[in-house]
Structure formats: structure tokens, C-alpha cells
């Protein structure tokens, strides 16, 4: 194994993960100044949640949000493979959404294993975002196999209002045979995920999500909005149906968030939504995973078709 070289934040550390050699760098660098959480602790978190996280990002083109100098520093989204990507990282090249020229493409990484996840985290990619559709072994784009309902509160609304709306969405989707599962986002709001058949195109699922959002807005206009207009959102919860667009990505469950505190997108039980609900930090997510297992394992099984 190569000798570690000294940097400003500790020595480089060559490791072997799943038979892959990765050089970890700057493990002592603080990425969350408010809590002193280091890059090494971020890597430890992602290793601890690797199994359920890899299950929810499997075969999905990965968009990363990176904070090389920590959450108080420069941040940027990254879709294409960065320079120096290991040859063993699986990838897929897809047209840029709306592109009319074949040369306008993006080559995304796909996370298959713990080594890939460690490689991504080593780049200070704190946030991992994926679409609701997958790609096949030859790069063919498949229909979405899950529907996501993103609940975004407008102040002074917060998580209690999101929980109230989540129950409304759960009841409405159940009437159509869909079972949804809550995830607090690690930011302001939460998402609900429902497995769907994978046999209907994204625009169909997207249209269904929009109809449900507009229906709930008509039923509870003082609590719910389906419109993005900021002036309409104070005190209400936006049901963001647009996350089901084939061009959109959503924060992956179990992903960290690049905010002041090292919160993560955390699967929750429905009973929790009736209690005082708060966002969870990375250590709490690991503790819950050990105690309760993967609350989103059900997403691996196909769901029903959504109504026409």
C-alpha cells in the first residue's frame, strides 16, 4: 500500500473497499463547523448507512452537491463524472433534458457498491440526488418505479403542518391503492415515497401527482398549495408534484444535507408524525437503522399502476 502523504488536514489514507483502492484525503477537515463534524465522520456515516442508501439509489443517475471547503464555503452541483474518476465506477451517458443535438449529453455515475459511495463522499459530495426512474444495464431509461410527494412548508408553517398534509396525502393515495412512506428531508420539510408499477411513463406519474396536489389544495386551501408562486406559500405546505418530472431529482433518503447541522434525509414511521417531529442528525439516523432496520425496504418491490 502506498505511503500516506501529509496535507493540511492530516495524511492521505489509502484504503481498500470492496477490493477497490481509494486514497482518502483531508479526513480531519471540518465540513460542518457548527458541530465540528469532520470529513472522516461523514465517510463513517455513509459507510454505516451504505446498504439502505445504495438500495434507494441503485441504477439511478447520481447528481452530487459538493462542499469541498465545508458547508460555509463554496458549493456546486455536479452531474458529469469529475476528472480522475476511477475506471471501475459504472456510468451512463444520457441526453441533456431538452437537448436537440446529440452531442449535448451528461455522463452520470451510478453507485453500485460501498466503494463507489466512499469515493463520492471522499469528494465532499454531502448531498446525493436521484430521479424516480432507473436505467438498464445498457443505459436504456426505464419508467419510474416510485412516486415522490415533496412537502415544502412556507414559514411560519413547519414540520407539524407537513405532518398534517402527509396524512391527507396518505389517505388520498391509499384510495387509489398506493402505499406511501414518510421521510423527513433533513432540511425544512419531508417527502413521501410510494412504489409504483414501473410500467407507466414519467409524464403519466407526474400528471397523477399534480392532480392529487390540486385536489388536496381545493379541499384544504388554507393549509395546502400546489403552486410554486412564493407569494402564495406563507403559512401553507407546498405539495411539490413537479419532483416526478423526468428531468427532476430529489434528495435521496439517507443522504446528508449541506446545511449548518449534519442532518440527513431520514425514513420515519407514521406514528412519529403524530408526535413532536424534528429533523434528525446523522448519528440519530444510524442509531435508528440499527434499532429498526430499513424502513424503506418496501420500495424495492413494485407497486400498482397509478390511475389514468
Amino acid at each position: 500500500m502506498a505511503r500516506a502523504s501529509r496535507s493540511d488536514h492530516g495524511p492521505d489514507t489509502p484504503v481498500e473497499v470492496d477490493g477497490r483502492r481509494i486514497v482518502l484525503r483531508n479526513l480531519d477537515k471540518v465540513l460542518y463547523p457548527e458541530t465540528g463534524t469532520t470529513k472522516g465522520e461523514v465517510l463513517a456515516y455513509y459507510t454505516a448507512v451504505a446498504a439502505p442508501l445504495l438500495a434507494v439509489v441503485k441504477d439511478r443517475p447520481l447528481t452530487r452537491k459538493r462542499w469541498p471547503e465545508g458547508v460555509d464555503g463554496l458549493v456546486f452541483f455536479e452531474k458529469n463524472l469529475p476528472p480522475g474518476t476511477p475506471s471501475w465506477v459504472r456510468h451512463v451517458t444520457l441526453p441533456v433534458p431538452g437537448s436537440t443535438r446529440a452531442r449535448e449529453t451528461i455522463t452520470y455515475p451510478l453507485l453500485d457498491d460501498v466503494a463507489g459511495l466512499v469515493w463520492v463522499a471522499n469528494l465532499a459530495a454531502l448531498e446525493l440526488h436521484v430521479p424516480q426512474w432507473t436505467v438498464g444495464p445498457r443505459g436504456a431509461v426505464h419508467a419510474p418505479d416510485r412516486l415522490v410527494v415533496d412537502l415544502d412548508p412556507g414559514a411560519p408553517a413547519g414540520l407539524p403542518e407537513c405532518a398534517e398534509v402527509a396524512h391527507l396525502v396518505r389517505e388520498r393515495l391509499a384510495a387509489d391503492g398506493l402505499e406511501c412512506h414518510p421521510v423527513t428531508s433533513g432540511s425544512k420539510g419531508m417527502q413521501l415515497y410510494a412504489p409504483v408499477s414501473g410500467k407507466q411513463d414519467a409524464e403519466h406519474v407526474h400528471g397523477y401527482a399534480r392532480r392529487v396536489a390540486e385536489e388536496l389544495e381545493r379541499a384544504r386551501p388554507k393549509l395546502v398549495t400546489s403552486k410554486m408562486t412564493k407569494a402564495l406559500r406563507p403559512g401553507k405546505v407546498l405539495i411539490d408534484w413537479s419532483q416526478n418530472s423526468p428531468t427532476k431529482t430529489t434528495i435521496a433518503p439517507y443522504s446528508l444535507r449541506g446545511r449548518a447541522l449534519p442532518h440527513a434525509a431520514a425514513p420515519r414511521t407514521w406514528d412519529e408524525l403524530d408526535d413532536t417531529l424534528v429533523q434528525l442528525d446523522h448519528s440519530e439516523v444510524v442509531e435508528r437503522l440499527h434499532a429498526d432496520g430499513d424502513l424503506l425496504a418496501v420500495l424495492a418491490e413494485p407497486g400498482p399502476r397509478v390511475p389514468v
Side-chain angles (χ1 to χ4, degrees):
M1 184 170 288
R3 178 178 296 178
S5 61
R6 177 65 57 179
S7 75
D8 291 340
H9 299 277
D12 289 351
T13 307
V15 297
E16 187 171 297
V17 184
D18 294 338
R20 311 291 192 183
R21 184 179 182 276
I22 305 171
V23 178
L24 305 182
R25 292 189 165 91
N26 300 326
L27 293 180
D28 294 337
K29 178 180 284 186
V30 174
L31 296 183
Y32 293 89
E34 189 163 326
T35 57
T37 305
T38 65
K39 186 177 178 183
E41 290 171 301
V42 166
L43 282 157
Y45 168 75
Y46 273 125
T47 302
V49 300
L53 175 55
L54 289 170
V56 294
V57 303
K58 179 178 173 58
D59 296 329
R60 300 177 200 273
L62 186 72
T63 296
R64 292 84 63 210
K65 196 172 181 181
R66 293 175 56 182
W67 282 264
E69 301 302 323
V71 296
D72 289 344
L74 174 71
V75 56
F76 59 95
F77 275 98
E78 185 173 61
K79 296 179 181 288
N80 268 306
L81 290 180
T85 297
S87 61
W88 46 263
V89 173
R90 190 161 65 100
H91 54 271
V92 62
T93 300
L94 299 172
V96 173
S99 171
T100 58
R101 290 177 289 180
R103 65 182 176 84
E104 293 179 341
T105 60
I106 295 174
T107 299
Y108 295 89
L110 300 165
L111 290 191
D112 290 329
D113 49 28
V114 180
L117 183 57
V118 169
W119 164 71
V120 165
N122 191 41
L123 297 175
L126 300 179
E127 291 191 5
L128 310 177
H129 297 248
V130 291
Q132 307 314 312
W133 45 268
T134 62
V135 295
R138 297 181 181 179
V141 174
H142 293 169
D145 59 357
R146 62 194 187 204
L147 176 150
V148 63
V149 177
D150 186 51
L151 303 179
D152 186 6
L159 276 179
E161 289 77 15
C162 286
E164 185 177 355
V165 175
H167 282 295
L168 296 175
V169 174
R170 182 192 192 190
E171 182 179 349
R172 177 62 187 83
L173 294 187
D176 288 331
L178 278 70
E179 180 181 1
C180 56
H181 306 273
V183 175
T184 45
S185 69
S187 180
K188 296 186 300 179
M190 62 191 305
Q191 290 90 33
L192 306 174
Y193 288 91
V196 295
S197 68
K199 297 179 179 180
Q200 295 169 289
D201 64 39
E203 292 300 340
H204 193 111
V205 176
H206 176 255
Y208 171 72
R210 180 174 185 170
R211 294 196 303 273
V212 168
E214 291 173 344
E215 180 181 320
L216 292 176
E217 180 183 36
R218 289 192 296 270
R220 297 291 301 276
K222 293 183 178 180
L223 177 63
V224 173
T225 180
S226 67
K227 300 176 180 64
M228 305 290 179
T229 307
K230 290 187 177 181
L232 300 176
R233 292 171 57 180
K236 298 182 181 182
V237 175
L238 169 66
I239 299 180
D240 186 358
W241 45 269
S242 74
Q243 293 294 307
N244 295 282
S245 167
T247 65
K248 289 289 191 73
T249 61
T250 305
I251 190 73
Y254 295 102
S255 173
L256 285 166
R257 302 307 301 263
R259 302 180 70 84
L261 301 176
H263 289 154
R268 312 300 287 260
T269 67
W270 282 105
D271 286 344
E272 287 182 277
L273 270 63
D274 296 325
D275 298 328
T276 301
L277 197 62
V278 297
Q279 303 290 347
L280 301 180
D281 70 24
H282 64 306
S283 61
E284 293 171 310
V285 173
V286 172
E287 290 171 2
R288 290 165 57 89
L289 181 61
H290 289 161
D292 303 328
D294 180 15
L295 297 178
L296 294 181
V298 66
L299 293 183
E301 298 298 325
R305 296 171 68 90
V306 303
V308 177

